[in-house]
Amino acid sequence: MTLKDFLANGDHFAAENGCILKEVREGYARAEMTVTEHHLNAGGVCQGGAYFTLADIALAAVMNSRGTLTFGLENNIVFLKSAKVGDTLIAEASEVFNHHKIPYVDVRITNQHGDLCCVVTGIAYRKAADLPVSGLE
């Protein structure tokens, strides 16, 4: 099983909310989600938790791409542009600092037009446990 499969099969919340990992490489991941009525807040735009869920699956892929079980410690999210029904959101996560215990990752979420909608940063903790995966994709 690859890391991509491990996360796609194991992160039920992200899957049930339409978040799909498209690419996983060491230190990089890309995930996508199409905004539906299910994702809207009372104001009629994409709810912040939907942005965060998309960012979180990309963060998880990057933070675990070194083969060691890694869990998030802290995240910061900044909302810059609203998304509406039918928009495709693309989360690109990149490892900024590969620390052996506390990696730092940056996620930029854009829409299908390339407009920056949201930025998420995160740090995590790498446990002393290998992942049961045989590769990244």
Side-chain angles (χ1 to χ4, degrees):
M1 174 185 319
T2 66
L3 176 60
K4 188 175 176 184
D5 295 332
F6 179 76
L7 292 172
N9 296 330
D11 193 324
H12 303 286
F13 189 79
E16 290 174 11
N17 281 283
C19 301
I20 302 167
L21 271 173
K22 294 289 193 170
E23 183 179 355
V24 180
R25 297 185 314 232
E26 192 170 89
Y28 174 86
R30 183 173 52 86
E32 295 182 9
M33 175 186 77
T34 300
V35 179
T36 68
E37 294 281 336
H38 171 78
H39 298 109
L40 300 184
N41 63 19
V45 295
C46 189
Q47 205 263 357
Y51 283 103
F52 185 80
T53 300
L54 178 62
D56 188 56
I57 193 69
L59 279 164
V62 170
M63 291 177 172
N64 285 282
S65 70
R66 302 287 178 175
T68 304
L69 184 60
T70 306
F71 292 102
L73 286 175
E74 180 179 329
N75 295 293
N76 181 50
I77 189 165
V78 179
F79 304 104
L80 302 169
K81 183 176 177 75
S82 297
K84 297 181 172 46
V85 170
D87 284 344
T88 298
L89 296 177
I90 301 112
E92 290 190 277
S94 299
E95 188 175 68
V96 175
F97 185 67
N98 176 28
H99 187 271
H100 68 284
K101 281 289 187 190
I102 304 174
Y104 179 79
V105 173
D106 175 68
V107 183
R108 298 172 66 78
I109 298 177
T110 57
N111 63 17
Q112 70 274 16
H113 306 295
D115 301 325
L116 185 61
C117 298
C118 182
V119 176
V120 179
T121 56
I123 60 172
Y125 179 76
R126 287 194 171 124
K127 298 186 63 107
D130 291 334
L131 285 170
V133 299
S134 59
L136 299 178
E137 281 208 22

